[in-house]
Coordinates of all heavy atoms in Angstrom, one line a residue:
V429 N 105.7 -29.5 -185.9 CA 106.2 -28.2 -185.3 C 105.8 -27.1 -186.2 O 105.2 -26.1 -185.8 CB 107.7 -28.3 -185.1 CG1 108.2 -26.9 -184.8 CG2 108.1 -29.3 -184.0
E430 N 106.1 -27.2 -187.5 CA 105.8 -26.1 -188.5 C 104.3 -25.9 -188.6 O 103.8 -24.7 -188.7 CB 106.4 -26.4 -189.8 CG 107.9 -26.5 -189.8 CD 108.6 -25.2 -189.2 OE1 108.1 -24.1 -189.6 OE2 109.5 -25.3 -188.4
S431 N 103.5 -26.9 -188.6 CA 102.0 -26.8 -188.8 C 101.5 -26.1 -187.6 O 100.6 -25.2 -187.7 CB 101.3 -28.1 -189.0 OG 101.2 -28.8 -187.8
I432 N 102.0 -26.4 -186.4 CA 101.5 -25.8 -185.1 C 101.8 -24.3 -185.1 O 101.0 -23.4 -184.8 CB 102.0 -26.5 -183.9 CG1 101.4 -27.9 -183.8 CG2 101.8 -25.7 -182.6 CD1 102.1 -28.8 -182.8
K433 N 103.0 -23.9 -185.5 CA 103.4 -22.5 -185.6 C 102.5 -21.7 -186.5 O 102.1 -20.6 -186.2 CB 104.9 -22.4 -186.0 CG 105.9 -22.7 -184.9 CD 107.2 -23.1 -185.4 CE 108.0 -22.0 -186.1 NZ 109.4 -22.4 -186.5
E434 N 102.3 -22.3 -187.7 CA 101.4 -21.7 -188.7 C 100.0 -21.5 -188.2 O 99.4 -20.4 -188.3 CB 101.4 -22.5 -190.0 CG 100.6 -21.9 -191.1 CD 100.6 -22.7 -192.4 OE1 101.2 -23.8 -192.4 OE2 99.9 -22.3 -193.4
D435 N 99.5 -22.5 -187.5 CA 98.1 -22.4 -187.0 C 98.0 -21.3 -185.9 O 97.0 -20.5 -185.9 CB 97.7 -23.7 -186.3 CG 97.5 -24.9 -187.3 OD1 97.3 -24.5 -188.5 OD2 97.4 -26.0 -186.9
I436 N 99.0 -21.2 -185.0 CA 98.9 -20.2 -183.9 C 99.0 -18.8 -184.5 O 98.3 -17.9 -184.1 CB 100.0 -20.5 -182.9 CG1 99.7 -21.9 -182.2 CG2 100.0 -19.4 -181.8 CD1 100.8 -22.4 -181.3
K437 N 99.9 -18.6 -185.5 CA 100.0 -17.3 -186.1 C 98.7 -16.9 -186.8 O 98.2 -15.8 -186.7 CB 101.2 -17.3 -187.1 CG 102.5 -17.3 -186.5 CD 103.6 -17.3 -187.6 CE 105.0 -17.2 -187.0 NZ 106.1 -17.4 -188.0
W438 N 98.1 -17.9 -187.5 CA 96.9 -17.7 -188.2 C 95.7 -17.2 -187.3 O 94.9 -16.4 -187.6 CB 96.5 -18.9 -189.0 CG 95.2 -18.8 -189.8 CD1 95.0 -18.1 -190.9 CD2 93.9 -19.4 -189.5 NE1 93.7 -18.2 -191.3 CE2 93.0 -19.0 -190.5 CE3 93.5 -20.2 -188.4 CZ2 91.7 -19.4 -190.5 CZ3 92.2 -20.6 -188.4 CH2 91.3 -20.2 -189.4
L439 N 95.7 -17.8 -186.1 CA 94.7 -17.5 -185.1 C 94.9 -16.1 -184.5 O 94.0 -15.6 -183.8 CB 94.6 -18.5 -184.0 CG 93.9 -19.8 -184.3 CD1 94.1 -20.8 -183.2 CD2 92.4 -19.6 -184.6
G440 N 96.1 -15.5 -184.7 CA 96.4 -14.2 -184.3 C 97.1 -14.1 -182.9 O 97.3 -13.0 -182.4
A441 N 97.6 -15.2 -182.4 CA 98.4 -15.2 -181.2 C 99.8 -14.9 -181.5 O 100.4 -15.7 -182.3 CB 98.2 -16.5 -180.4
D442 N 100.4 -13.9 -180.9 CA 101.8 -13.5 -181.2 C 102.7 -13.7 -180.0 O 102.6 -13.1 -179.0 CB 101.7 -12.0 -181.6 CG 103.1 -11.4 -182.0 OD1 104.0 -12.3 -182.1 OD2 103.2 -10.2 -182.2
W443 N 103.6 -14.7 -180.2 CA 104.6 -15.0 -179.2 C 105.8 -14.1 -179.2 O 106.7 -14.2 -178.5 CB 105.0 -16.5 -179.2 CG 105.6 -16.9 -180.5 CD1 106.9 -16.6 -180.9 CD2 105.1 -17.6 -181.6 NE1 107.2 -17.2 -182.1 CE2 106.1 -17.8 -182.5 CE3 103.8 -18.2 -181.8 CZ2 105.8 -18.5 -183.7 CZ3 103.6 -18.9 -182.9 CH2 104.6 -19.1 -183.9
E444 N 105.8 -13.2 -180.2 CA 106.9 -12.2 -180.4 C 108.2 -13.0 -180.5 O 108.4 -13.8 -181.5 CB 107.0 -11.2 -179.2 CG 105.7 -10.3 -179.2 CD 105.6 -9.4 -178.0 OE1 106.2 -9.8 -176.9 OE2 105.0 -8.4 -178.1
D445 N 109.2 -12.8 -179.6 CA 110.5 -13.5 -179.8 C 110.6 -14.7 -178.7 O 111.6 -15.2 -178.5 CB 111.6 -12.5 -179.5 CG 111.6 -11.9 -178.2 OD1 110.6 -12.0 -177.5 OD2 112.6 -11.2 -177.8
R446 N 109.4 -15.1 -178.2 CA 109.4 -16.1 -177.1 C 108.9 -17.4 -177.6 O 107.9 -17.9 -177.3 CB 108.6 -15.6 -175.9 CG 109.2 -14.4 -175.2 CD 108.4 -13.9 -174.1 NE 107.0 -13.5 -174.5 CZ 106.7 -12.4 -175.1 NH1 107.6 -11.5 -175.4 NH2 105.4 -12.2 -175.5
L447 N 109.7 -18.0 -178.5 CA 109.5 -19.4 -179.0 C 110.5 -20.3 -178.3 O 111.7 -20.1 -178.5 CB 109.6 -19.4 -180.5 CG 109.6 -20.8 -181.1 CD1 108.2 -21.5 -180.9 CD2 109.9 -20.8 -182.6
F448 N 109.9 -21.3 -177.6 CA 110.8 -22.2 -176.8 C 110.5 -23.6 -177.0 O 109.4 -24.0 -177.6 CB 110.7 -21.9 -175.3 CG 110.9 -20.4 -174.9 CD1 109.9 -19.6 -174.5 CD2 112.2 -19.9 -175.0 CE1 110.2 -18.3 -174.1 CE2 112.5 -18.6 -174.6 CZ 111.5 -17.8 -174.2
F449 N 111.4 -24.5 -176.6 CA 111.2 -25.9 -176.7 C 111.6 -26.5 -175.4 O 112.6 -26.1 -174.7 CB 112.1 -26.6 -177.8 CG 111.7 -26.2 -179.2 CD1 112.0 -25.0 -179.8 CD2 110.9 -27.1 -180.0 CE1 111.6 -24.7 -181.1 CE2 110.5 -26.8 -181.3 CZ 110.9 -25.6 -181.8
A450 N 110.9 -27.6 -174.9 CA 111.3 -28.3 -173.7 C 112.7 -28.7 -173.8 O 113.5 -28.7 -172.8 CB 110.3 -29.4 -173.5
S451 N 113.1 -29.1 -175.0 CA 114.5 -29.6 -175.2 C 115.5 -28.6 -175.0 O 116.7 -28.9 -174.8 CB 114.6 -30.2 -176.6 OG 114.2 -29.3 -177.6
D452 N 115.1 -27.3 -175.0 CA 116.0 -26.2 -174.6 C 116.5 -26.4 -173.2 O 117.6 -25.9 -172.8 CB 115.4 -24.8 -174.7 CG 115.0 -24.5 -176.2 OD1 115.6 -25.0 -177.1 OD2 114.1 -23.6 -176.3
Y453 N 115.7 -27.1 -172.4 CA 115.9 -27.2 -170.9 C 116.4 -28.5 -170.5 O 116.4 -28.8 -169.3 CB 114.7 -26.8 -170.2 CG 114.0 -25.5 -170.7 CD1 112.7 -25.5 -171.0 CD2 114.7 -24.3 -170.8 CE1 112.1 -24.3 -171.5 CE2 114.1 -23.2 -171.2 CZ 112.8 -23.2 -171.6 OH 112.2 -22.0 -172.1
F454 N 116.7 -29.4 -171.4 CA 117.1 -30.8 -171.0 C 118.2 -30.8 -170.0 O 118.2 -31.6 -169.0 CB 117.5 -31.6 -172.2 CG 116.3 -32.2 -173.0 CD1 116.5 -32.9 -174.2 CD2 115.0 -32.1 -172.5 CE1 115.4 -33.4 -174.9 CE2 113.9 -32.6 -173.2 CZ 114.1 -33.2 -174.4
E455 N 119.2 -29.9 -170.2 CA 120.3 -29.9 -169.2 C 119.9 -29.5 -167.8 O 120.2 -30.1 -166.8 CB 121.4 -28.9 -169.7 CG 122.8 -29.1 -169.1 CD 123.5 -30.4 -169.6 OE1 123.6 -30.6 -170.8 OE2 123.9 -31.2 -168.7
Q456 N 119.0 -28.4 -167.8 CA 118.5 -28.0 -166.5 C 117.6 -29.0 -165.8 O 117.5 -29.2 -164.6 CB 117.7 -26.7 -166.7 CG 118.6 -25.5 -167.0 CD 118.0 -24.4 -167.8 OE1 117.8 -24.6 -169.0 NE2 117.6 -23.3 -167.3
M457 N 116.8 -29.8 -166.7 CA 116.0 -30.8 -166.1 C 116.8 -31.9 -165.5 O 116.5 -32.5 -164.5 CB 115.1 -31.4 -167.2 CG 114.0 -30.4 -167.7 SD 113.0 -31.1 -169.0 CE 112.1 -29.6 -169.6
Y458 N 117.9 -32.3 -166.2 CA 118.8 -33.3 -165.7 C 119.4 -32.8 -164.3 O 119.4 -33.6 -163.3 CB 120.0 -33.6 -166.7 CG 121.0 -34.6 -166.2 CD1 120.7 -35.9 -166.2 CD2 122.2 -34.1 -165.6 CE1 121.6 -36.8 -165.7 CE2 123.1 -35.0 -165.1 CZ 122.8 -36.4 -165.2 OH 123.7 -37.3 -164.7
E459 N 119.8 -31.6 -164.2 CA 120.4 -31.0 -163.0 C 119.3 -31.0 -161.9 O 119.6 -31.2 -160.7 CB 120.9 -29.6 -163.2 CG 122.2 -29.6 -164.1 CD 123.3 -30.4 -163.6 OE1 123.4 -30.5 -162.3 OE2 124.1 -31.0 -164.4
A460 N 118.0 -30.7 -162.3 CA 116.9 -30.7 -161.3 C 116.7 -32.1 -160.8 O 116.5 -32.3 -159.6 CB 115.7 -30.3 -162.0
A461 N 116.9 -33.2 -161.6 CA 116.7 -34.5 -161.2 C 117.9 -34.9 -160.2 O 117.6 -35.5 -159.2 CB 116.7 -35.5 -162.4
V462 N 119.1 -34.5 -160.5 CA 120.2 -34.7 -159.6 C 120.0 -34.0 -158.3 O 120.2 -34.6 -157.2 CB 121.5 -34.2 -160.3 CG1 122.6 -34.1 -159.3 CG2 121.9 -35.0 -161.5
K463 N 119.4 -32.8 -158.3 CA 119.1 -32.1 -157.1 C 118.1 -32.9 -156.2 O 118.3 -33.0 -155.0 CB 118.5 -30.7 -157.4 CG 118.2 -29.9 -156.2 CD 117.8 -28.5 -156.6 CE 117.5 -27.6 -155.3 NZ 117.2 -26.2 -155.7
L464 N 117.1 -33.5 -156.8 CA 116.1 -34.3 -156.1 C 116.8 -35.5 -155.5 O 116.5 -35.9 -154.3 CB 115.0 -34.7 -157.0 CG 114.0 -33.6 -157.4 CD1 112.9 -34.1 -158.3 CD2 113.4 -32.8 -156.2
I465 N 117.7 -36.1 -156.2 CA 118.4 -37.3 -155.7 C 119.2 -36.9 -154.5 O 119.2 -37.6 -153.5 CB 119.3 -37.9 -156.8 CG1 118.5 -38.5 -157.9 CG2 120.2 -39.0 -156.2 CD1 119.3 -39.0 -159.1

């Protein structure tokens, strides 16, 4: 995780305050699966 962040910053890509993880959405993904069921 840390190496990837460093690489992207070094290349000059700026995500500003928009750093996310799929794990941020695990609850929503679970609810989405329930919806499909």
